[in-house]
Amino acid sequence: MARTIRSQKRSAGKGRERVAGRKRGARATLRRGEIRSVTPAKTRGLEIPRGVSETDVEVEGGQVHLTNLEKIFWPELGLTKRDLLQYYLDVSPWLLPHVKNRAMVMKRYPNGIHGPFFFMKRAPLPRPDFIPICSIEHASGNIIGFPVIQHVASLLWVVNLGCIDLNPWYARCDDVWRPDFLHFDLDPTPETPFERLLEVALLVREALAALKMKSYAKTTGSRGVHVYIPIVRGPDQKEVWRFAKAFSRELAQRNPQTITAEYRVAKRPKGHVLADYNQNAWNRTLASVYSVRPQIAATVSTPVTWEEIERGIKTEDFTMRNVPERLRKVGDLWRPLLEESGRAHLEEFL
């Protein structure tokens, strides 16, 4: 695989489309790469040039034109768009398996973390012909072509659009109605210390373990903690959401002093942790594992062990500057979420 950097222009075009899957009125099609497995590129040592405003990089998947590299994205830290792209290049061997074959909702910050942002679902034109597209028909009948991060080239292309964090679907493109994850977004209400979030994460783990479900945690990179449970595909998105809702409400009833499942913001008690189940609904997304967040400290949504949570961690412990080295030392702590074995059978509880 060629991995060179040069400064020449390239043309963009459109690839051919084929049907990838259909379920309950949702139609998903994917251009190029849906059935091709992703072998993480050996990107260590590959450097995006400094001191230039634009360049072309040739990586796994194709050649990508990178622009506005010297634009400051984190003024407080002096970090640029080039630094963001370099981070994603460095972590791509661990990141790519977690986002491949999934539609990606783009949250674009073209002028950095303090500038205005906007959401974009449909992959913009013009675009390179190596960008896979997952076309999903919504209830309205509208068909939206989401980009898919299938290789290093598509990763850099999406980030170059100003996407600081990555927001993939929970279900894969071959069946967008049936997710392979259940998750809980633990979010603090006002006056809630981060230590209480860690306590609640451990309570969630214990309650899931009682159901013989193995769970995995990561920092959100913002205010909270994400707890994910790999499940065998089968139940549809609404069934997964219903289980998450019932679980969260029962957990809140058992722990009324620390946990709330109240959906209405005004009704949430202070000093509590919201066990947010609604992010399991169809078409919802959360920041993916290893996503940089648009926070002043350039924090990263990072997998952590339960032992680390027991000892105590802070969101600021994991940033764009130190996560690549952490990955080289400890590897991908969320690798089990990619395996076929060890997934929970949610049907037993529906």
Side-chain angles (χ1 to χ4, degrees), residues 322-334:
N322 62 24
V323 165
E325 182 59 29
R326 173 180 168 87
L327 278 166
R328 287 189 282 269
K329 288 181 178 179
V330 305
D332 181 13
L333 296 179
W334 270 30

Side-chain angles (χ1 to χ4, degrees), residues 65-101:
H65 187 61
L66 305 178
T67 59
N68 299 312
L69 295 174
E70 297 177 294
K71 181 178 286 188
I72 298 294
F73 267 36
W74 282 268
E76 292 81 1
L77 300 177
L79 294 175
T80 64
K81 184 180 177 184
R82 181 262 173 203
D83 295 320
L84 177 67
L85 287 158
Q86 184 67 52
Y87 164 83
Y88 277 113
L89 185 61
D90 291 342
V91 303
S92 60
W94 300 277
L95 166 67
L96 285 172
H98 292 282
V99 296
K100 70 173 185 175
N101 294 331

Side-chain angles (χ1 to χ4, degrees), residues 152-313:
V152 179
S154 47
L155 170 63
L156 295 183
W157 181 80
V158 166
V159 176
N160 189 62
L161 292 175
C163 296
I164 292 176
D165 50 16
L166 305 176
N167 295 272
W169 276 47
Y170 309 126
R172 298 196 298 268
C173 280
D174 59 344
D175 192 340
V176 294
W177 284 97
R178 299 188 186 278
D180 44 10
F181 298 107
L182 161 71
H183 54 79
F184 298 95
D185 181 12
L186 305 182
D187 206 27
T189 65
E191 301 179 14
T192 303
F194 193 75
E195 292 76 15
R196 187 162 298 162
L197 272 163
L198 302 182
E199 295 171 5
V200 169
L202 293 170
L203 290 174
V204 172
R205 178 191 62 168
E206 292 170 7
L208 291 167
L211 301 178
K212 301 189 184 305
M213 292 185 183
K214 194 166 184 179
S215 56
Y216 301 83
K218 67 181 176 76
T219 64
T220 66
S222 181
R223 302 188 305 159
V225 172
H226 291 156
V227 178
Y228 274 55
I229 305 92
I231 62 175
V232 176
R233 284 207 298 183
D236 64 26
Q237 194 92 45
K238 195 166 187 178
E239 291 170 324
V240 174
W241 173 84
R242 283 174 176 164
F243 173 86
K245 180 180 180 180
F247 181 93
S248 295
R249 288 188 168 181
E250 182 172 346
L251 198 64
Q253 289 174 358
R254 292 182 182 181
N255 302 273
Q257 301 306 313
T258 55
I259 302 175
T260 179
E262 177 57 59
Y263 184 65
R264 294 165 296 181
V265 175
K267 296 288 186 179
R268 294 173 190 168
K270 294 180 179 180
H272 284 59
V273 174
L274 171 67
D276 189 352
Y277 55 84
N278 272 312
Q279 293 302 110
N280 287 280
W282 195 78
N283 201 25
R284 300 283 183 88
T285 63
L286 290 174
S288 79
V289 66
Y290 307 122
S291 277
V292 184
R293 304 308 304 277
Q295 303 292 319
I296 289 177
T299 46
V300 171
S301 183
T302 306
V304 291
T305 66
W306 288 112
E307 291 73 19
E308 286 177 310
I309 287 183
E310 290 168 352
R311 292 197 303 266
I313 56 171

Side-chain angles (χ1 to χ4, degrees), residues 128-169:
D129 60 6
F130 59 71
I131 300 299
I133 298 297
C134 180
S135 296
I136 301 175
E137 183 175 355
H138 290 56
S140 63
N142 190 26
I143 298 175
I144 297 177
F146 296 81
V148 180
I149 293 179
Q150 202 74 353
H151 39 52
V152 179
S154 47
L155 170 63
L156 295 183
W157 181 80
V158 166
V159 176
N160 189 62
L161 292 175
C163 296
I164 292 176
D165 50 16
L166 305 176
N167 295 272
W169 276 47

